Amino acid sequence: MYKLIGFEMCFSLLLFSWFISMVVMVIFFNLNNISLLFNWEVMDCMSSSLELELVMDWMGCSFSGLVCFISGCVMIFSKSYMMGDKYSYRFSLTVMLFVLSMNLLIFIPNLVTVLLGWDGLGLVSFCLVIYYQNNKSLAAGMLTVLMNRVGDCFILAAISMMLVLGHWNMLCLWEFHNFMVVNFFIMIAGMTKSAQIPFSSWLPAAMAAPTPVSALVHSSTLVTAGVFLFIRFFNYLNNYIWFSYIMMYLSIMTTIMSGICALYEFDMKKIIALSTLSQLGVMMMSLSLSMPMLALFHLYTHAMFKALLFICGGNIIHSFEGKQDMRQIKNVFNLMPITSMFLIVSKMALCGLPFLAGFYSKDLIIESLIVGNMNIVMFILGIFGVCLTIMYSIRFCFFIIWGSYNLNTYVNVNDNDLLVIISMSLLGLGALWSGYIFQELFCLFDHIFMMSIFMKLYVPMLIMSSIIISFGLWDKSMVYLNKGFMKYMNSSMWFLSSFICFSMIKSFMMMSNSSLKIIDMGWLEILGGQGLFSLNKLLFNCLEHWLSLVINCYIIMFVMLCLTLIYMNNKYIKYQKVLFM
Amino acid sequence: MASLRSIGRVVSALRIISVGYHARKIHTGRPLSAYWNKDWAPGPYPKTQEEREAAAKKYGLRIEDYEPYPDDGTGLGDYPKLPDISMEGKDAYENWDIPALKRNFGEPVHAEANWLREDRMSPDVVATMRIPIWQQFLMFMGIMGGTALLAYLVSPIKLHMAVMPKQYPFNELCVEKGLKDEGKPIIHYTFEPAD
């Protein structure tokens, strides 16, 4: 079977079977309204027990099933996308390791052992980002892993502070004197993984990874890990009002920043990554409005249409010989009709057009924003962030799908790769129906808001007006907003990536460099390597000197002994001759 | 004993000559001429003009371009202080002898080349930015801080979406508030038992 269908298909079958088993488990847990907690005590020391725990509940099982479904589709896509790659088996294994890490994160509710999944995600994502093994990939990978490492450090700090509790099970914590600090650390850790301001710069940089990895990382796995951690910790985080305020502000600013940056960006994959960042902001906004289940709902629907979007984008990149610049990709509507159809479906779902997947979750989040008795500035900015999603989506379509092709004289672009069509079709079904299915399946996703008819029609009107503005804004010349200082500032995420990367890394680099010179190449050399060498050299020179003297004595004694023996032998021979004469 | 030592020296000298070993001139322009890490060590700090010229020639530089690092005990000796041009700052389309490293054969390597790589620091790129880093930081903080300040200042104003008309106890108050006078008191609720 392995030789017949290939290892990618074997892995995808494994993932789909896991997905089906998870669907059964979700139905079982939902119908019986139960959760299972497996607890294995690894060690017990001084009234603190380190335990390996596994929790099986509807939330974990549904998320795991979703991750495996998307991973299965991505694996089918990677069979086509990575066909010419020499180490595609290694690539597939790494992706499977990534899926395993995500599942560990989902099912382990213990803050210590959850590091298996949390750190695993960071490490394996680094390996995947640097997969193409060039300096640019390495720089992007370093940025990704170091930014995630900040979150890891905060988790470790939270673990150390929770030592006073005697356990680290995040499902049954209770308040202690530093519990607020622990919650703050958890908030920072979640923000790094979910790339909220000021930790946003790694997410567009991580686009250096192969497109199947991007489809997996930016849809349902790495970036959603932070949101999922927040959902697990929500009951504790929600006790503090500052959590709502900070997350509301940062999530809305993240949404706006990524939306504006996407309006100026020309790299196709980066635009999709920025749209992920924007939607992560929407999820965080939902969390700050005390709607964790809505955040989870949007996470699920977003995973479906974003994975589809990445696969469509990857297929276009593959067909256009690796080009990612939107100015070089045109007329996809005529050249690749199936891909452009799925691309438009996913974009419509992203915009929240009724009745696609994104509509069910996004509409509820905007309505909760309306009825949330919010600060008027935050409300306006939040709505503006949502409108930006529609504007950059239409710009994307203008460039790629409907733009006239006028660069290459010869193109051989087609849309007949069956593997890609299969993976796109499966995810396309998700982008069309997942919102409705999830809402029907999980009663927790079904919120009711009371509002007037005007406010109810507010969201569709908002979407329609944004579409109209976008059609007016992005004309054929495509030169609006593309000049001057504003472009420079907005295309670099308000200089966030610039000053984070250059100034902060420079100071650490200089500090490391000076410590390298002073400590490693300085004092440690004197006290350690070179110093020990010199000391040993001196000692052994002395010993060698004494040894050479001793050897000389030995040689002299040996020569004298030999001469004595020869002399005695001669005497003996003479004596024998005299005796027998 | 002395004769034995002299014999040993002669033998070792003969062995060295037999394998063709001789004292090598060590500098980065001739990388193949050094085998051991000690052979790569720079020479002593040049104090006179002649020594500077010799050092410049050794490293393949013009005397005008040659400048040693300060003799502060860091051990860099006569190694030239090259401009901080990172690999990122070099032209990717130039015809380099070693394109992967963007350098030519025989070109002296920067003393800090370990962090002037494409995946590390590029101080020359930072120095030639249109907007200095500190201004970029201020702009970002201005946007974030300005928005936060605005939100804080208008925080008393909440977006309240009423789904029912406001309830007033008497018609006078209704009129005062600009609403329609119904002509009779409006009873919104009562504590009397329902009939």
Side-chain angles (χ1 to χ4, degrees):
Chain A
M1 186 175 174
Y2 164 77
K3 288 182 180 172
L4 191 67
I5 61 173
F7 49 84
E8 291 98 344
M9 297 304 279
C10 287
F11 285 143
S12 65
L13 283 178
L14 178 71
L15 291 164
F16 283 133
S17 58
W18 181 262
F19 161 68
I20 292 166
S21 63
M22 283 296 110
V23 169
V24 175
M25 296 280 273
V26 167
I27 293 168
F28 170 74
F29 287 131
N30 251 342
L31 287 178
N32 295 296
N33 197 20
I34 55 168
S35 301
L36 296 178
L37 180 70
F38 301 97
N39 193 321
W40 176 51
E41 189 175 300
V42 180
M43 59 177 288
D44 189 3
C45 178
M46 305 287 283
S47 76
S48 291
S49 58
L50 181 62
E51 293 158 345
L52 182 61
E53 289 155 331
L54 287 175
V55 62
M56 303 288 282
D57 56 347
W58 71 269
M59 194 193 293
C61 290
S62 58
F63 195 18
S64 172
L66 183 86
V67 168
C68 291
F69 176 73
I70 291 171
S71 309
C73 294
V74 166
M75 204 57 93
I76 295 172
F77 173 64
S78 72
K79 185 173 173 57
S80 164
Y81 192 85
M82 307 298 284
M83 192 175 281
D85 194 79
K86 194 176 175 183
Y87 304 107
S88 53
Y89 182 62
R90 191 173 67 187
F91 173 79
S92 302
L93 279 178
T94 320
V95 171
M96 289 301 286
L97 199 60
F98 195 74
V99 176
L100 176 70
S101 303
M102 192 65 204
N103 276 294
L104 288 175
L105 179 84
I106 291 167
F107 286 119
I108 296 177
N110 191 300
L111 202 59
V112 176
T113 43
V114 82
L115 279 172
L116 284 173
W118 187 269
D119 261 353
L121 281 177
L123 180 67
V124 182
S125 67
F126 174 68
C127 297
L128 288 169
V129 170
I130 64 164
Y131 183 76
Y132 284 138
Q133 297 188 8
N134 53 50
N135 279 329
K136 296 285 181 194
S137 298
L138 182 57
M142 287 297 283
L143 182 61
T144 305
V145 76
L146 290 179
M147 207 63 93
N148 282 302
R149 181 55 66 183
V150 174
D152 299 346
C153 293
F154 276 97
I155 289 233
L156 289 172
I159 288 170
S160 63
M161 297 196 78
M162 282 167 64
L163 187 68
V164 293
L165 289 182
H167 74 99
W168 289 271
N169 189 335
M170 59 177 89
L171 300 176
C172 53
L173 298 177
W174 57 87
E175 197 155 339
F176 60 99
H177 60 284
N178 277 334
F179 197 53
M180 194 180 77
V181 184
V182 170
N183 278 296
F184 180 71
F185 286 170
I186 295 292
M187 191 185 83
I188 300 287
M191 280 167 59
T192 55
K193 239 11 170 210
S194 291
Q196 299 298 297
I197 286 178
F199 307 108
S200 308
S201 54
W202 69 266
L203 202 141
M207 284 296 112
T211 308
V213 175
S214 307
L216 192 60
V217 166
H218 290 85
S219 64
S220 58
T221 48
L222 183 64
V223 292
T224 56
V227 179
F228 193 73
L229 188 78
F230 278 179
I231 292 169
R232 283 273 192 227
F233 262 88
F234 186 76
N235 289 333
Y236 316 115
L237 290 168
N238 202 35
N239 289 333
Y240 302 101
I241 192 69
W242 51 260
F243 171 74
S244 297
Y245 287 151
I246 293 174
M247 281 319 300
M248 170 65 73
Y249 173 65
L250 290 179
S251 61
I252 286 175
M253 293 310 285
T254 306
T255 308
I256 291 175
M257 183 192 72
S258 54
I260 290 177
C261 187
L263 287 178
Y264 288 89
E265 186 58 61
F266 284 106
D267 189 319
M268 192 170 75
K269 276 180 77 178
K270 275 193 179 175
I271 291 179
I272 304 175
L274 288 164
S275 79
T276 303
L277 193 53
S278 163
Q279 297 310 303
L280 285 168
V282 172
M283 289 172 213
M284 290 293 183
M285 199 193 305
S286 173
L287 278 168
S288 65
L289 288 164
S290 303
M291 299 279 182
M293 288 303 120
L294 269 188
L296 192 69
F297 188 20
H298 193 57
L299 195 157
Y300 286 1
T301 54
H302 168 261
M304 285 289 185
F305 61 72
K306 192 49 65 69
L308 176 62
L309 192 55
F310 266 111
I311 287 180
C312 292
N315 194 23
I316 292 169
I317 291 168
H318 208 186
S319 303
F320 278 79
E321 300 163 348
K323 291 187 179 67
Q324 286 183 215
D325 195 323
M326 289 207 306
R327 291 165 292 195
Q328 298 179 351
I329 303 170
K330 305 278 182 183
N331 201 18
V332 173
F333 186 72
N334 287 322
L335 296 169
M336 306 172 75
I338 301 173
T339 305
S340 59
M341 177 188 77
F342 284 116
L343 189 65
I344 291 171
V345 165
S346 60
K347 279 289 178 190
M348 285 162 68
L350 173 67
C351 294
L353 289 181
F355 293 90
L356 300 172
F359 168 76
Y360 290 94
S361 54
K362 208 169 180 179
D363 188 62
L364 284 174
I365 291 173
I366 297 171
E367 284 177 358
S368 67
L369 199 67
I370 292 169
V371 302
N373 199 18
M374 280 185 65
N375 184 317
I376 189 79
V377 172
M378 289 289 109
F379 174 76
I380 292 168
L381 289 175
I383 294 296
F384 179 58
V386 172
C387 292
L388 284 173
T389 308
I390 297 157
M391 292 169 78
Y392 67 70
S393 298
I394 288 177
R395 176 176 177 262
F396 187 91
C397 294
F398 258 124
F399 266 90
I400 287 184
I401 296 176
W402 301 312
S404 57
Y405 196 73
N406 54 5
L407 286 171
N408 289 3
T409 52
Y410 171 71
V411 285
N412 185 20
V413 180
N414 53 47
D415 207 7
N416 54 7
D417 194 332
L418 189 63
L419 291 170
V420 181
I421 292 172
I422 289 171
S423 61
M424 283 194 301
S425 305
L426 289 171
L427 287 170
L429 286 173
L432 284 169
W433 291 103
S434 64
Y436 176 75
I437 292 168
F438 287 139
Q439 198 173 33
E440 291 297 313
L441 199 61
F442 305 117
C443 57
L444 288 167
F445 290 167
D446 197 7
H447 288 69
I448 296 170
F449 297 106
M450 302 296 289
M451 56 177 65
S452 62
I453 185 70
F454 170 73
M455 296 316 296
K456 183 63 197 168
L457 290 175
Y458 186 80
V459 181
M461 282 194 300
L462 195 74
I463 293 170
M464 288 311 295
S465 58
S466 301
I467 290 172
I468 292 164
I469 290 169
S470 307
F471 272 93
L473 203 61
W474 312 118
D475 71 340
K476 284 185 180 176
S477 62
M478 310 283 183
V479 293
Y480 287 131
L481 307 171
N482 280 345
K483 288 178 181 172
F485 171 75
M486 290 299 285
K487 178 182 186 299
Y488 183 45
M489 187 176 81
N490 290 326
S491 61
S492 59
M493 301 170 82
W494 298 341
F495 303 126
L496 178 69
S497 51
S498 177
F499 75 76
I500 286 275
C501 295
F502 289 122
S503 59
M504 290 183 69
I505 293 177
K506 185 182 178 184
S507 56
F508 287 117
M509 184 72 84
M510 290 298 177
M511 199 168 68
S512 311
N513 198 39
S514 58
S515 69
L516 174 79
K517 294 283 168 60
I518 295 167
I519 298 171
D520 196 42
M521 294 167 69
W523 284 106
L524 284 180
E525 283 292 323
I526 293 167
L527 299 174
Q530 293 294 331
L532 278 177
F533 173 71
S534 302
L535 184 66
N536 283 336
K537 191 178 163 186
L538 184 70
L539 282 172
F540 279 97
N541 275 341
C542 293
L543 282 174
E544 193 180 349
H545 179 67
W546 285 103
L547 195 64
S548 62
L549 289 180
V550 172
I551 283 176
N552 291 338
C553 292
Y554 284 157
I555 290 170
I556 290 164
M557 284 172 70
F558 180 71
V559 170
M560 286 178 72
L561 184 68
C562 290
L563 289 173
T564 310
L565 285 172
I566 291 166
Y567 175 75
M568 286 178 69
N569 193 31
N570 288 340
K571 282 286 181 189
Y572 179 71
I573 291 167
K574 282 180 185 174
Y575 174 73
Q576 288 285 333
K577 282 179 181 175
V578 171
L579 194 67
F580 290 105
M581 275 177 69
Chain B
M1 192 51 58
S3 60
L4 280 174
R5 282 184 183 172
S6 61
I7 289 166
R9 281 196 208 102
V10 170
V11 168
S12 61
L14 284 172
R15 197 173 61 205
I16 288 164
I17 291 165
S18 65
V19 295
Y21 181 83
H22 55 88
R24 291 167 189 275
K25 289 180 180 177
I26 306 305
H27 53 79
T28 52
R30 296 174 60 195
L32 295 178
S33 18
Y35 290 118
W36 302 96
N37 50 1
K38 68 177 177 56
D39 299 336
W40 291 91
Y45 183 77
K47 290 173 182 167
T48 63
Q49 183 63 22
E50 287 76 25
E51 285 175 351
R52 287 176 75 92
E53 285 174 4
K57 190 180 175 187
K58 176 179 157 188
Y59 291 110
L61 295 170
R62 297 188 310 167
I63 185 66
E64 296 86 7
D65 296 337
Y66 176 73
E67 184 197 348
Y69 280 93
D71 191 18
D72 56 357
T74 47
L76 289 168
D78 66 344
Y79 201 78
K81 188 178 183 183
L82 300 169
D84 290 343
I85 298 174
S86 65
M87 211 192 292
E88 177 74 23
K90 292 180 180 175
D91 187 2
Y93 298 101
E94 197 173 316
N95 189 20
W96 301 103
D97 289 339
I98 312 163
L101 299 174
K102 291 184 187 171
R103 66 178 288 248
N104 289 318
F105 190 75
E107 183 184 331
V109 181
H110 197 285
E112 307 287 354
N114 58 340
W115 57 271
L116 286 172
R117 290 161 22 191
E118 266 185 330
D119 58 325
R120 299 288 159 87
M121 281 297 300
S122 47
D124 50 332
V125 176
V126 177
T128 55
M129 275 183 169
R130 270 172 64 187
I131 301 168
I133 290 285
W134 65 271
Q135 285 185 16
Q136 294 182 7
F137 178 72
L138 282 184
M139 284 177 199
F140 176 78
M141 292 310 290
I143 294 170
M144 296 296 288
T147 318
L149 183 68
L150 189 66
Y152 176 72
L153 290 177
V154 301
S155 54
I157 307 170
K158 302 283 185 188
L159 182 81
H160 179 67
M161 298 290 173
V163 292
M164 292 283 287
K166 283 193 175 180
Q167 298 176 354
Y168 298 107
F170 298 107
N171 287 344
E172 292 79 14
L173 197 55
C174 285
V175 175
E176 192 180 316
K177 292 286 181 185
L179 300 175
K180 190 180 174 184
D181 185 7
E182 296 280 337
K184 56 181 180 181
I186 304 167
I187 300 170
H188 297 293
Y189 59 88
T190 176
F191 294 105
E192 298 298 323
D195 293 332

